[in-house]
Amino acid sequence: MNARGKAERHLGWLLCAPAVITMGAVTAYPILYALWLSLHRYDLRFPHDRSFVGLSNYWSVLSSELWWQTLGNTLIITIGSVSVELVLGFCLALVMYRAIFTRAMVRAAILIPYGIITVVAALAWKFAFDPTTGFVNALLNLEGAWLTERWTAFFVIIFTEIWKTTPFMALLLLAGLTLIPADLLKAARVDGATAIQRFFRITLPLMKPTVLVALLFRTLDAFRIFDTVFVQTRGAQGTETVSITGYNALIVRLNLGLGSAVSVLIFICVILIAVLFIKGFGTSVAQQRGER
């Protein structure tokens, strides 16, 4: 790493230090308490039957077929929603960036879904896909009950997530588009580069840091999905996610030990996703900036 890179990294740590210290103080206690609970047999239905069991709760979760099924369901929703949101977000960001007339109105209209509460959006689309009260079947001339079959229920859940959070992805990508030098694109146009060549050889490479941030935020958010699934199916039809599994163990069955083990495993998965994104995309971004 050159001197400029080291100075920027040092400044970045200094600027982030107050937020990191505050977040550490606020989140350290619940994380450590959840870790402590996960190492004990602690069921609120039998409060006096509490004992240290070590990693037994983790073994019970990891050896359960339900955990791996819900992990697969969560990955299906995460990959399905985030990949489509990235493509649609790019399209919406380009529309907002190039809109000359009524630019403010276009941006406000695109951002409306993101301003709606997730539970309200999930309920609205649940009623929209309902065979008796919804308009989707009449629009498509279908008669099926979408939320009674596994894959159609997945479609409704992923569709709701895409409709709700694509504007967030578009907003982040729009910020990246505004940082691309206009002179660079004009020079490429003068040299005869087509719009597709300018996008893939100039715009997209320069937007790698922004794409990394957008993908990281949305992937972590999508992996922890709870409210949309809970409102639309409550985990029925094989659509249960890892967050629903943790909710059932903690709130429904009042098993604090097992539920805390599920929560810690979700936390570890989130850290692994963040590390994979930073190691994967972050290396190419650092190389792009000339850092070693």
Side-chain angles (χ1 to χ4, degrees):
M1 182 186 297
N2 55 32
R4 182 182 177 185
K6 291 181 179 178
E8 288 183 354
R9 175 168 291 186
H10 182 67
L11 178 62
W13 279 111
L14 287 178
L15 293 175
C16 292
V20 171
I21 293 173
T22 304
M23 290 295 295
V26 172
T27 59
Y29 174 73
I31 290 175
L32 293 176
Y33 189 54
L35 187 61
W36 182 83
L37 286 174
S38 68
L39 300 175
H40 290 74
R41 180 190 296 117
Y42 191 8
D43 193 326
L44 287 182
R45 294 170 298 180
F46 313 101
H48 300 295
D49 185 18
R50 186 171 60 179
S51 60
F52 180 79
V53 294
L55 300 177
S56 176
N57 287 327
Y58 291 99
W59 174 251
S60 298
V61 175
L62 293 175
S63 61
S64 167
E65 185 180 349
L66 176 65
W67 165 258
W68 297 107
Q69 182 184 350
T70 56
L71 184 62
N73 294 341
T74 307
L75 291 176
I76 289 172
I77 295 173
T78 302
I79 295 172
S81 59
V82 175
S83 56
V84 177
E85 286 170 18
L86 179 62
V87 177
L88 293 179
F90 245 119
C91 297
L92 292 178
L94 289 171
V95 169
M96 289 190 286
Y97 181 68
R98 297 185 181 282
I100 299 176
F101 303 103
T102 64
R103 176 176 295 181
M105 186 179 297
V106 170
R107 293 182 178 181
I110 289 176
L111 291 174
I112 284 176
Y114 189 65
I116 297 176
I117 299 172
T118 305
V119 173
V120 176
L123 271 175
W125 283 111
K126 180 182 179 181
F127 287 124
F129 280 94
D130 189 274
T132 56
T133 62
F135 66 88
V136 175
N137 277 357
L139 188 66
L140 300 177
N141 197 22
L142 297 174
E143 297 180 352
W146 294 78
L147 295 174
T148 60
E149 299 288 339
R150 183 166 187 253
W151 292 109
T152 52
F154 268 130
F155 175 81
V156 176
I157 292 169
I158 293 173
F159 179 85
T160 304
E161 285 291 299
I162 293 170
W163 181 85
K164 173 74 174 60
T165 54
T166 295
F168 174 74
M169 182 78 82
L171 196 62
L172 292 178
L173 296 175
L174 176 63
L177 281 174
T178 58
L179 297 178
I180 297 176
D183 293 340
L184 192 60
L185 295 173
K186 290 179 182 177
R189 187 181 303 160
V190 171
D191 289 340
T194 63
I196 296 177
Q197 288 173 329
R198 292 197 300 272
F199 178 76
F200 283 104
R201 296 188 178 183
I202 298 176
T203 303
L204 202 55
L206 291 178
M207 287 189 63
K208 276 186 178 178
T210 308
V211 173
L212 167 64
V213 173
L215 281 178
L216 180 59
F217 280 7
R218 270 302 299 143
T219 303
L220 296 182
D221 191 36
F223 186 82
R224 294 178 291 108
I225 182 173
F226 174 82
D227 32 20
T228 301
V229 178
F230 186 79
V231 169
Q232 293 185 337
T233 65
R234 290 185 178 263
Q237 323 305 340
T239 60
E240 183 173 329
T241 62
V242 288
S243 296
I244 297 284
T245 302
Y247 170 84
N248 288 335
L250 279 169
I251 307 301
V252 178
R253 293 194 290 273
L254 302 177
N255 193 328
L256 299 186
L258 209 58
S260 297
V262 173
S263 300
V264 172
L265 288 174
I266 294 174
F267 181 66
I268 293 173
C269 290
V270 167
I271 291 177
L272 288 176
I273 291 172
V275 170
L276 286 175
F277 267 93
I278 292 173
K279 289 293 183 183
F281 284 89
T283 303
S284 60
V285 170
Q287 290 174 347
Q288 185 181 350
R289 295 170 58 186
E291 299 176 3
R292 295 182 182 277

